[in-house]
Amino acid sequence: METIKVLELFAGLGGFHIAVNNQKDANIQVVKSFEINVNAVKTYQENFGYDVISNRNILSLSTEELIRQNVNAIFMSPPCQPFTRLGKKLDVNDDRCNAFHHVLKLLPRTPNIQYLLIENVYGFESSKMRENMLEILQSSGFYTIEFLLSPTDFGVPNSRLRYYLLARKNKKFTFCKHDPPSILKEFTYCTCGGISLHEQSSICSNCQREVNTKISSLVQQNTGNMKQSFLVNTSKLHSYLDEKTDIEQYAVPDKILLRYGNILDLRTFQDSSSCCFTKGYTHLVEGSGSVLVCNRSVTIEEAYKAYNEFKETNSEAALNSLRKLKIRYFTPKEVERLMCFPDNYIWPKDLSDKTKYKLLGNSVNVHVVTLLVALLIHS
């Protein structure tokens, strides 16, 4: 069996590292990681040890060192700010693209790199940076396939649409039916927890997709022990929430309720979705993530009818109507679960919740990248 040794760049909280560790039937491991954020490095060390990760700028990586690292795969999630809808969309003119571009320029001179997995924000697919990337990869002998995927595609109640690229040198992807392929908007193979095959067929009767036994085995393995692994195929939010949470500690402040009550993204325990959590969660309002209604005896409709009736004339009455809903933020642990990190993931004791939210907002969804790693090496 081929040994795959991974260099994890822009490592963040180590989502790719967990995804690699989840590949129980493959000879693959992360041997080195680079990350510049000090708090991310501390967290990474708590979970994966002190020897794997280096706190350094990727621009310092040379061709000689990349060869010397003795790796044949690179997994990375480069900065998304040049492409995000909330940014200035400077694309290749944003200095935060420099490190990513530097890595790409090393590839033609490093024949040892045979596999790539790249994640970025929705919007990257229409960027000049993507055009440059594909040109370099294809001229370097890589076959590529691209996806736009969200955890909701896999039964996880959190919307986090992201761009993914898989690339292999001199190895075509057997599932790709188009040449050149378009960006795929669904995962190629069946990811149902319990596979139901058509008679004398390899097609799942539930999702109508082809069954890849390696990937199906991976899904079954990780749905069998949700709390010890990552959560999948549990579509209700209550499966991801703490049973006992200090509502007052995580309550949405009165000033936010009064001023921004009508743009809060409210969710209940029985909802099957939530908005993407960003690094601005809890200190930005619009588009930064959902909040949870904890009082099940008061309807949202009743509370908001009173809120909108009194908002302009009696602010205290308007505020009281929303207070009854007991609206709180999702805790860092709950966001972590929605990002499909295992429940035994460790945070340094000195990190604030604000820092945890920021780091999680920049992270990958572990379940999605776990399946993509499997697709990269097993398809």
Side-chain angles (χ1 to χ4, degrees), residues 269-294:
F269 291 83
Q270 292 301 316
D271 275 334
S272 299
S273 63
S274 57
C275 282
C276 178
F277 294 96
T278 74
K279 67 178 184 179
Y281 189 58
T282 72
H283 64 275
L284 296 177
V285 179
E286 190 170 9
S288 66
S290 301
V291 292
L292 188 67
V293 174
C294 295

Side-chain angles (χ1 to χ4, degrees), residues 337-350:
R337 291 194 190 113
L338 286 165
M339 300 284 286
C340 297
F341 282 74
D343 249 22
N344 60 1
Y345 193 80
I346 302 169
W347 292 97
K349 293 181 180 179
D350 62 341

Side-chain angles (χ1 to χ4, degrees), residues 254 257-259 298 302-325:
D254 285 350
L257 291 177
L258 187 59
R259 184 173 180 181
V298 178
E302 288 174 354
Y304 269 84
K305 181 179 179 181
Y307 169 74
N308 287 309
E309 180 180 347
F310 293 114
K311 185 180 178 183
E312 301 300 328
T313 58
N314 188 336
S315 60
E316 189 63 23
L319 189 55
N320 281 332
S321 66
L322 294 193
R323 282 176 179 155
K324 292 177 182 178
L325 293 175

Side-chain angles (χ1 to χ4, degrees), residues 146-160:
E146 300 168 283
F147 291 89
L148 285 172
L149 298 172
S150 172
T152 53
D153 300 331
F154 304 93
V156 179
N158 181 241
S159 175
R160 194 175 184 84

Side-chain angles (χ1 to χ4, degrees), residues 65-82:
E65 183 178 3
L66 188 52
I67 295 173
R68 194 168 61 248
Q69 291 287 349
N70 192 29
V71 296
N72 57 359
I74 296 176
F75 294 173
M76 57 179 164
S77 179
C80 66
Q81 292 90 341

